[in-house]
Amino acid sequence: MNYSVSEENYLKTIFHLQKKEGTVTTNELAAELKTRPASVTDMMKKLKTKKLLHYQPYQGFRLTADGSKVALGIIRRHRLWEYFLAEKLNFTWDEVHEVAEELEHVSNKKLIDKLDAYLGYPKNDPHGDPIPDASGKIEQGKKIRLQDAPLQIPCRVAGVRNQSPGMLELLAHKKIRIGTILEIRQKFDFDHSLEVKTGKQQIITISRQLAENLLVTHED
Amino acid sequence: MNYSVSEENYLKTIFHLQKKEGTVTTNELAAELKTRPASVTDMMKKLKTKKLLHYQPYQGFRLTADGSKVALGIIRRHRLWEYFLAEKLNFTWDEVHEVAEELEHVSNKKLIDKLDAYLGYPKNDPHGDPIPDASGKIEQGKKIRLQDAPLQIPCRVAGVRNQSPGMLELLAHKKIRIGTILEIRQKFDFDHSLEVKTGKQQIITISRQLAENLLVTHED
DNA sequence: AACATAATTTAGATTTGTCTAAATAATTTT
DNA sequence: AAAATTATTTAGACAAATCTAAATTATGTT
Ligand SMILES: [Mn+2]
Ligand SMILES: [Mn+2]
Ligand SMILES: [Mn+2]
Ligand SMILES: [Mn+2]
């Protein structure tokens, strides 16, 4: 019932990767965790014997129901701490991830549930990602890329797919944050750039690269 | 500059033990950490090569200045988290230690300093122990007469009000020095004598005259 | 289908932290 | 001072997590 820091980091990363495609490969996971494929194989064998993973050699892997449950617990802790750091300790949203990466491994249930209550049961972390509740249930607001959002309909920035310093710098410059309301006025086929109206009625231009990495939900 | 959870637990425990007596022994430390003497010896060698410890085989050990500095950092984190848990998350004072035992190992300086600020720079943890500041300085409690110290609470001999030869002879005989830890077990109204437990777990009797002239501070 | 390339696994080594059992040193008792 | 006891260290082993290099399996190309 208790997992090592290393096991937890593997489980969480597999959970995220398998959302994008059904199944995760050895090299993919090694790249994401900055480790070697041989190390991944070793860990996959271990997680399989613990029944947290479906795995047959050369076939890729995905979490079992038990594995997903463990992963959701880690993600809950990670995102609650991110919220705490941003909301209570005044960390900026690009600083919180690194610290939460360590705090997430303190797995005392009472601590996390009390933290949740103290924070007022927040629904989303500072990056707009949903926070699983105490039972592991996660609210999926259907996030789409700004690029794919309909014209003339206001939507709300709910997350980013990329947290590179360059991206964050650009967002800061354009004054776009989680929660910012955007409405696409026009799409230009030539360079796939967008002309967008902000909540403050300013007209700005958003490049294809940025529009691909901005996640929005329907405003309501 | 970064230490493992295990190294940190050793450093912190040595710091606490060496306060009671100048030097710490292998068995003492093994008992406190619930490990084996052989494991302690292994770790002592490692901490010595890292220059955190003074250690010669069979001679016991104590922290170097560097080692104490690291230990104080761990104690600062531990006690700040204890304060947070009690004050903000409504943990009771007997629950906080166990959780802080894990949180103390998240050693991000910015996190701890921001937490400190958020909590309003508390001076003491929920057990009354002083919290070291960001530079590692620890506030020593004010000196009171042993006679006026609370029962069942360990305190530290910090001075004497009287330095007559007779007093010093008596102190030497009872093996009481500056730094000795004493805990009052019982106060007798008839003659105002005290039954006191020493740091070495010996039970001794201290007369009214002596108790009036011994100055102690709250431990730690 | 055969070959080349890429992905994955295996074999064997390393580091960290722990353990048991045996050897050695220090301390206490006689 | 010798013997007995206790404390400490050493030797050798093990589990966890990682690595490199080599072997194996899968995939893509001609
Ligand atoms: Mn992590
Ligand atoms: Mn996040
Ligand atoms: Mn600890
Ligand atoms: Mn405390």
Side-chain angles (χ1 to χ4, degrees):
Chain A
M1 284 291 172
N2 239 28
Y3 303 99
S4 72
V5 169
S6 202
E7 287 171 328
E8 288 192 346
N9 283 334
Y10 274 92
L11 289 169
K12 191 185 65 166
T13 304
I14 294 166
F15 184 94
H16 288 313
L17 288 176
Q18 76 181 11
K19 288 237 131 168
K20 318 210 175 209
E21 322 183 17
T23 175
V24 183
T25 68
T26 304
N27 276 356
E28 225 180 337
L29 188 48
E32 190 73 19
L33 286 170
K34 287 170 179 144
T35 185
R36 296 298 181 166
S39 309
V40 171
T41 301
D42 288 344
M43 182 61 87
M44 294 308 97
K45 287 179 189 166
K46 200 209 308 191
L47 295 180
K48 184 186 177 166
T49 71
K50 296 195 178 186
K51 297 196 191 302
L52 298 170
L53 200 68
H54 297 292
Y55 166 60
Q56 293 300 102
Y58 297 101
Q59 303 281 118
F61 23 82
R62 57 182 216 289
L63 299 178
T64 61
D66 280 0
S68 292
K69 206 168 168 188
V70 175
L72 281 163
I74 302 159
I75 290 164
R76 170 169 162 79
R77 301 196 295 262
H78 183 101
R79 293 182 178 164
L80 280 173
W81 282 119
E82 282 191 345
Y83 186 93
F84 169 75
L85 294 170
E87 207 64 27
K88 303 289 188 180
L89 299 195
N90 298 311
F91 275 82
T92 61
W93 66 317
D94 56 311
E95 296 172 315
V96 299
H97 180 80
E98 180 191 344
V99 184
E101 204 54 50
E102 297 193 49
L103 285 166
E104 70 187 359
H105 302 292
V106 177
S107 59
N108 181 295
K109 180 151 174 53
K110 193 166 186 177
L111 166 65
I112 297 305
D113 292 346
K114 276 176 171 286
L115 178 65
D116 196 8
Y118 175 61
L119 298 175
Y121 304 102
K123 291 243 184 51
N124 297 93
D125 80 7
H127 308 106
D129 296 317
I131 300 173
D133 69 15
S135 73
K137 197 169 291 172
I138 198 165
E139 181 97 5
Q140 268 318 342
K142 50 218 174 264
K143 285 189 218 161
I144 55 174
R145 296 180 302 177
L146 178 62
Q147 207 178 29
D148 303 327
L151 274 79
Q152 320 290 1
I153 306 281
C155 57
R156 178 190 301 274
V157 175
V160 291
R161 296 174 70 203
N162 171 316
Q163 288 167 233
S164 64
M167 165 106 179
L168 297 176
E169 179 201 359
L170 183 56
L171 291 178
H173 180 252
K174 290 192 186 288
K175 300 201 169 61
I176 296 174
R177 276 175 284 251
I178 300 297
T180 300
I181 303 298
L182 300 176
E183 181 185 322
I184 301 174
R185 303 295 297 274
Q186 210 173 336
K187 295 184 178 184
F188 297 99
D189 283 343
F190 175 67
D191 61 358
H192 299 92
S193 67
L194 307 178
E195 191 179 84
V196 171
K197 191 174 71 180
T198 70
K200 287 174 180 155
Q201 310 298 325
Q202 286 174 312
I203 305 296
I204 62 176
T205 295
I206 289 184
S207 70
R208 173 189 200 160
Q209 288 93 329
L210 185 51
E212 279 173 341
N213 285 290
L214 265 184
L215 297 175
V216 299
T217 56
H218 280 289
E219 229 281 271
D220 47 2
Chain B
M1 285 289 173
N2 240 27
Y3 303 99
S4 71
V5 168
S6 202
E7 287 171 328
E8 290 192 345
N9 284 334
Y10 273 92
L11 289 169
K12 191 185 64 166
T13 305
I14 294 166
F15 184 94
H16 288 313
L17 287 176
Q18 78 180 10
K19 290 235 128 171
K20 317 215 175 209
E21 323 182 18
T23 174
V24 183
T25 68
T26 304
N27 276 357
E28 227 181 336
L29 188 48
E32 191 72 20
L33 287 170
K34 290 174 175 135
T35 184
R36 297 297 181 167
S39 308
V40 170
T41 300
D42 288 344
M43 183 61 87
M44 294 309 96
K45 288 180 189 166
K46 203 212 303 192
L47 295 180
K48 184 186 177 165
T49 72
K50 295 195 178 185
K51 296 195 192 302
L52 298 170
L53 199 68
H54 297 292
Y55 166 60
Q56 292 300 104
Y58 298 101
Q59 303 281 119
F61 23 84
R62 58 181 213 289
L63 298 178
T64 62
D66 280 1
S68 292
K69 206 168 168 189
V70 175
L72 281 163
I74 303 160
I75 291 164
R76 170 169 161 80
R77 301 195 294 262
H78 183 101
R79 292 181 179 167
L80 281 173
W81 282 120
E82 283 191 344
Y83 186 94
F84 169 76
L85 294 170
E87 208 64 26
K88 302 290 188 179
L89 300 196
N90 298 311
F91 275 83
T92 61
W93 69 287
D94 57 312
E95 296 172 317
V96 299
H97 180 79
E98 181 191 344
V99 183
E101 204 54 49
E102 297 192 49
L103 285 166
E104 69 187 0
H105 302 292
V106 177
S107 58
N108 181 295
K109 181 152 172 52
K110 194 166 186 178
L111 166 65
I112 298 304
D113 291 346
K114 276 176 171 284
L115 178 65
D116 196 9
Y118 175 61
L119 298 175
Y121 303 104
K123 291 245 184 48
N124 297 93
D125 80 6
H127 308 105
D129 296 318
I131 300 174
D133 70 15
S135 74
K137 197 170 291 172
I138 199 164
E139 178 101 3
Q140 287 301 350
K142 42 176 168 290
K143 295 178 196 173
I144 56 175
R145 296 180 302 176
L146 178 61
Q147 208 176 28
D148 304 326
L151 273 82
Q152 319 289 4
I153 306 283
C155 58
R156 173 190 312 278
V157 175
V160 291
R161 295 174 71 203
N162 171 320
Q163 289 169 237
S164 67
M167 164 106 179
L168 297 177
E169 179 202 2
L170 184 55
L171 290 179
H173 180 255
K174 291 191 187 287
K175 298 199 171 63
I176 296 173
R177 279 175 288 242
I178 299 297
T180 300
I181 301 300
L182 300 176
E183 181 186 321
I184 302 173
R185 303 298 296 274
Q186 212 173 337
K187 294 184 178 183
F188 298 99
D189 283 343
F190 176 68
D191 61 358
H192 298 94
S193 68
L194 307 178
E195 190 179 85
V196 170
K197 191 174 70 179
T198 70
K200 287 175 179 154
Q201 308 299 324
Q202 286 175 313
I203 305 293
I204 62 176
T205 295
I206 290 184
S207 70
R208 174 188 196 159
Q209 289 89 334
L210 184 50
E212 280 175 339
N213 285 289
L214 265 183
L215 297 175
V216 299
T217 58
H218 183 272
E219 223 271 274
D220 269 63

